[in-house]
Every structure is written in structure tokens, then in C-alpha cells.
Amino acid sequence: MNFLDLAGPAADGEVARLRVADDDPAALQHRELMARALALVGAWVRLRPGGPDHLPHDDLATAHGWVRHLAARQSAGGTFVGGDNVLSPPDSAFTVNDGCDALELLAPFRTSVPAAAALADDLDAIVHRATPALLTGGVHTPNHRWEIAAALARVQRLHPSPALLERIEEWLAEGPDIDDDGLWSERSPNYASAVSVPSFLVLASVLERPDLLAPVRRSLDATLALLLPDDTVETVQSRRQDQSLPFGIAAFAPLLWHVAVFDDRGDLAAVAARAAVADTWQPATVAARAMTDPLLARPLPEPLPLAPAVHTFADARLVHVRETDRSVVLFAGSDVPAEGRIRSGLANSPTFLRVVAGAVVLSDVRLSREFFGLGPFRPTSLESVGDGRFRLTETVSACYHQPLPAGHRRSDGRYPLGDEGRFSAAMAFGERPVDTVTMTTTVDVAVTPDAVVLDVTTEGADVPWSLQLTFRSGGTVSGVQTDAVTGERLLAEGAGSYRVGDDVVTFGPGNGAGPAQPAFYAPGQDYAFLGGTDRPAGEHVHVTGRSPGTTRVVIGTVR
């Protein structure tokens, strides 16, 4: 059984929907137009006796209509109009990559099928007009370098040119942005699966450079190490949009399949087989792209199950304890403490613990403090202390500013606007003596056979804190009450539980209640100032307390 045998039914379902789509092509972005065209080209090429019952050239005619709209969207400089990134070379590269794949699929039919030849001619013209922009254009994210390089490589395969190879080598000379643990610099499963890994596969093939498969292998090894029991890939470490969303393994399916066959890897094969039948975005386009990869026409090697292990990602400060039927993820790699801001392109999540036990997903454990609006606990260190025990720590501080020394005072009161770490004001903060208030938080985590035990220790300021447990929706919370101050679910005493079907996770004991220790989630003033929040979706329960002191919370995972 090959990749298309498994992925084909979902692709056929999407193709059936595309054939009757009545949305206005003028309203579609250029990447969507080309993705749809590629999907129908792939469906047309796959036609065989017993296949879908439709006129054999209808798919080409529909695809050609979308390609004409795409041509109308191309600027005089070759890039495509539309989207937030204006006349973007890298966004145009995504479209060109799909266009080149469609041309590869159409190539055997250009001399025998007039409809295929006409469509291919128009696609060739689009690629020709776009190539100069890809040869000279710049980027604004790390993965864009590889998307553009892959597009140039595909053009090189169709229309060889020294200039294409020279530009590809310029990008490759910067070096693959992947660490020793297999995480690309953006740490994003989404961009690893959609851009970086597939790009390096193409580059290795076109350039005949097997050394470019090394980052591919490292990335897929990391993907297996990040795989959770529900076949999602951990994203809390990501610096991109997927950092707060579950990300399914399906997007990695053709990549896993390719390397599993190439390297005879049973561990990759086991996951690739499941990924190929999982729900994915644009399955017909995925299937069409797969038809350009001969290795995906071959069966997988004998699958091997993933073994229990403790996977450590040193640079990302991430640990995944994988067991037979449970996963525990610990994270101390947020970029916010070092950068001092919430920002696109940073790992912003304050989730420091995730537990997946059967059907129960404790997706986010976060600790809020009422401490100068600095936001939740974002540990800056993650240390293994042996025997399944780990320590996460963070120290935060804020200042009260004293009067300016005499030499820095101005009689007109006009001081420069500056930022003191929490807010900005015209007070010449950098010239003032300060009184500093500090709070240190340590969370010791012990992973035992039947529980995950948290010891929360706070030192310094006398402030309330609230440990928020967020469960993925779909289950039932028991044993909790409603906090009189905030209206949140609160475990004040005893143990609570969360049930999904036959699977139950317990938590507790409660640590009291009352106005002195309200149940709350404080996202920090970077969010609150704008009236926003980063609170995760799901079912929330709080265990509260006050600093300083130590409180134990046990998350029981016996099922």
C-alpha cells in the first residue's frame, strides 16, 4: 500500500467539493487559486478505470479557469497581488512551488492532450514572470529563505540556469536554522511541516546534495519526540501562530513517509501510516504534491512502535516524558523574560506543564501572581534533578523609583520618555535610584507512575497566586465550587476530577479560598492594557494560595 492508497479517499472527497465550488475566484488569494488548480491537476492525472465518474477534461478546464485568475493577480514585477504581505516574494514562492508541481504532473501530457498543453503553457508563463522577483526578492521570516530556495530549485528543474543555482547557494550559505535537538529556529511544527522540511527535501533532490537531508532527519526525529498520545505534535515551544493550538500529525505524513522509505525507518513508518489517514488541510493538494515524489509510491517498511522515553530539548528548555499511555510536557523556554515583551515571533506561552492521560488532556497549567502586572509564571530554567523530578524557576522584580539626583534634575520638568520594564513615562527612569521588590517562584515536578506532583514554592512579596488548570473541552468537572470573588471554578478543599468517557484525572488537594487568595488568571499588562488576554480555551479550575510559602498539588493519572 502506498501513500496515495491511504490519502486518496480524503483527496477524492475534496476534489468532489472543488468540482462544484461556486465561490467567486476573484475573492480568492493567489495561494488558494494555485492550490486548487494543483489539486484538480492531480485528480485529472490520477484518473484511471474505476475512478471518479466525470468528463476526463473537466478538471483541467476548471483548473485552467483558476490559473487565468491567478495570472490576472500577477504584478508587473512578477509577484502576486493580495494578502497582508504586499507584493511578497516569499508568499509568491508558495504559489510558484505549486505551479511547478502542476507543470511536472502535466509534462507527460503536453504533446498528446491539448487541454493539458494549454494549461501548462499558461502556468509556464506565470512561473517565467515570477522568477526574476524570486531571484532578487527578500524575506522577513526564517522559513521564507527555504521556501524561496525551493521554488528556485523547482524552476531549475524545469528551466536550468546558473543564476538560479547561484541564488539558491546564497540562501543555503546562511546555514539551516536548526538546533542540535532538531528544532528549527521558529520551533514551529506548522512551519517545519509546511515549509522547512519539504523545502530541504526538494533542495537535496535538485542539487543532488544528500547532506541537505541531515536537517530533515533531525527535524523528523524531533517531531517523533514531540508526538503526544492524541497524535498531536507539541507546540508550546513554538515562536509562531501554532504555539497555543493543537497541531495534528497529518501535515507531516508525506515527509515521514519519504524518509521512512528512504532510510528504512520503522519508527517513522508507524507514525506515517497514521498520519496519512488523519484529517489534514487541502488533502487533494497534498495528494497532488505527493505524486511528484517517487518514494511515496512505495510501501512503508515494517512499523515499529515508539518506545517510552524522556526527550529533552536543551535550547528550547522543553522536556517530554513519554510513557506507554501518558505524556508529561514541561516547558521553561518562553522568550518573554529575556525580551521583556509579548511579540509575534517569540515563544510567549506561560504554560509550563501539560499532561495527556488517555482521553483527558490537561492542556495548560499556568500560575498567576498579583505582582506589578508582570503576568504569569514563565520559568527561565528547567533542571532535571533525577528520579523523574524536575525544577522550574523564575525570579521577577519591579522597582519603586526615588527622586532624581541633583545633577539630573530639570527645572522645566521635561524628562525623556523611557520604558522601565512595565510601562513608559517621561521620568528619566534610568537616572533614578530604585527600591526593588522581588519574587521568586519554584515549581518542583515529580513524575510518578500514578501522578504528577507539583510543589509550588514562592519567596519574597506577600501576594496572592492562582494555579489555573485548563482541560481540553469535552469532559466533566467534579468536586469544585465557584469562587465568590471572581466567579471562577475553584478547588478549595479535597480533590477534584475531570472525566472524559472512562478516563479520569484527579487534582488536589484544595488550598483554601477567600478574598485574600482569589481564583484569577492575570495575563499581564501587555495584554490587559489592550483589553486582551492569552487565556487558553477549555475548562478552567483554580487552586489558590498566597506567597511566601509552599503548596503541593497532585495531578492523579491512574485510569
Side-chain angles (χ1 to χ4, degrees):
M1 184 172 289
N2 63 33
F3 179 81
L4 287 177
D5 290 333
L6 294 181
D12 290 341
E14 187 189 15
V15 166
R17 293 189 293 274
L18 290 176
R19 287 177 183 141
V20 297
D22 59 359
D23 46 358
D24 182 2
L28 299 177
Q29 294 287 349
H30 61 89
R31 288 173 61 177
E32 174 68 13
L33 285 167
M34 189 61 242
R36 288 187 177 195
L38 175 58
L40 289 195
V41 167
W44 180 81
V45 172
R46 283 196 296 130
L47 264 180
R48 58 190 184 276
D53 182 18
H54 66 285
L55 293 174
H57 302 316
D58 281 358
D59 286 341
L60 291 187
T62 304
H64 205 161
W66 285 324
V67 167
R68 291 189 183 97
H69 280 279
L70 176 65
R73 212 69 57 82
Q74 197 167 18
S75 71
T79 54
F80 297 96
V81 176
D84 288 339
N85 301 325
V86 180
L87 299 178
S88 163
D91 284 85
S92 298
F94 283 95
T95 295
V96 169
N97 271 309
D98 280 355
C100 289
D101 279 350
L103 283 167
E104 186 173 342
L105 293 175
L106 290 168
F109 307 98
R110 290 184 79 164
T111 59
S112 58
V113 180
L119 172 54
D121 288 347
D122 281 356
L123 275 174
D124 245 341
I126 288 171
V127 170
H128 179 74
R129 288 195 298 271
T131 298
L134 302 188
L135 274 169
T136 60
V139 302
H140 56 258
T141 70
N143 73 79
H144 282 170
R145 296 170 293 179
W146 317 132
E147 185 69 25
I148 284 185
L152 294 174
R154 282 183 167 92
V155 176
Q156 168 72 13
R157 190 154 54 189
L158 296 169
H159 306 295
S161 164
L164 295 168
L165 294 176
E166 289 171 11
R167 186 63 164 179
I168 291 170
E169 292 298 341
E170 275 194 272
W171 289 119
L172 286 176
E174 296 188 8
D177 59 314
I178 189 170
D179 68 19
D180 292 340
D181 298 316
L183 294 183
W184 301 89
S185 65
E186 294 174 289
R187 300 184 192 164
S188 164
N190 179 28
Y191 288 100
S193 64
V195 185
S196 299
V197 174
S199 293
F200 271 81
L201 281 177
V202 168
L203 290 165
S205 172
V206 173
L207 302 180
E208 297 182 341
R209 284 186 52 183
D211 61 295
L212 295 179
L213 293 176
V216 169
R217 292 185 175 99
R218 289 215 306 275
S219 182
L220 294 181
D221 285 342
T223 301
L224 294 194
L226 292 169
L227 189 63
L228 301 176
D230 61 352
D231 270 350
T232 60
V233 183
E234 182 56 63
T235 61
V236 70
Q237 75 286 344
S238 175
R239 289 176 165 140
R240 297 303 303 271
Q241 300 95 321
D242 54 346
Q243 63 185 263
S244 58
L245 299 169
F247 189 82
I249 193 63
F252 283 95
L255 313 173
L256 291 164
W257 198 294
H258 178 106
V259 179
V261 171
F262 190 81
D263 288 345
D264 194 25
R265 289 272 302 270
D267 54 347
L268 295 177
V271 180
R274 299 200 305 271
V277 297
D279 289 339
T280 192
W281 184 57
Q282 295 182 324
T285 307
V286 171
R289 292 185 190 121
M291 294 167 64
T292 69
D293 184 346
L295 289 185
L296 270 60
R298 291 166 53 181
L300 289 167
E302 189 68 26
L304 293 173
L306 299 182
V310 177
H311 298 285
T312 299
F313 297 82
D315 288 350
R317 299 193 297 277
L318 178 77
V319 170
H320 177 202
V321 182
R322 175 196 283 125
E323 299 171 342
T324 303
D325 55 359
R326 181 181 67 168
S327 275
V328 179
V329 177
L330 300 123
F331 179 59
S334 172
D335 296 313
V336 173
E339 297 296 324
R341 67 182 70 187
I342 306 294
R343 192 75 164 183
S344 175
L346 298 181
N348 299 305
S349 178
T351 294
F352 68 87
L353 174 68
R354 180 166 292 154
V355 180
V356 181
V360 177
V361 179
L362 176 54
S363 61
D364 301 87
V365 178
R366 300 182 177 187
L367 180 66
S368 290
R369 299 79 48 96
E370 285 189 358
F371 190 83
F372 294 93
L374 292 180
F377 171 62
R378 286 184 171 90
T380 55
S381 67
L382 172 54
E383 176 188 5
S384 173
V385 293
D387 297 326
R389 295 177 298 122
F390 304 88
R391 176 165 293 163
L392 302 96
T393 58
E394 178 203 37
T395 297
V396 289
S397 61
C399 299
Y400 290 105
H401 298 268
Q402 295 286 352
L404 283 167
H408 296 282
R409 297 171 190 162
R410 297 177 58 106
S411 60
D412 61 4
R414 297 171 64 87
Y415 300 103
L417 182 67
D419 192 290
E420 64 96 67
R422 297 180 297 132
F423 62 95
S424 298
M427 286 187 62
F429 287 122
E431 311 300 335
R432 296 174 180 272
V434 297
D435 299 325
T436 302
V437 183
T438 299
M439 182 176 182
T440 296
T441 303
T442 302
V443 179
D444 288 313
V445 180
V447 181
T448 71
D450 59 357
V452 179
V453 181
L454 311 183
D455 287 313
V456 179
T457 300
T458 52
E459 302 173 80
D462 180 0
V463 297
W465 56 259
S466 186
L467 185 74
Q468 178 181 268
L469 312 178
T470 301
F471 293 92
R472 189 174 294 172
S473 297
T476 303
V477 180
S478 301
V480 300
Q481 64 188 58
T482 300
D483 182 63
V485 177
T486 63
E488 295 280 344
R489 285 196 189 104
L490 168 69
L491 181 67
E493 60 183 2
S497 66
Y498 191 74
R499 174 183 290 275
V500 179
D502 294 331
D503 293 327
V504 180
V505 165
T506 61
F507 48 90
N511 192 47
Q517 50 183 79
F520 65 97
Y521 179 69
Q525 72 175 24
D526 278 359
Y527 290 100
F529 170 71
L530 299 172
T533 185
D534 67 339
R535 179 154 121 152
E539 303 291 340
H540 307 115
V541 179
H542 296 261
V543 177
T544 67
R546 285 195 73 86
S547 173
T550 298
T551 298
R552 171 166 288 187
V553 177
V554 178
I555 300 166
T557 56
V558 173
R559 294 175 306 287

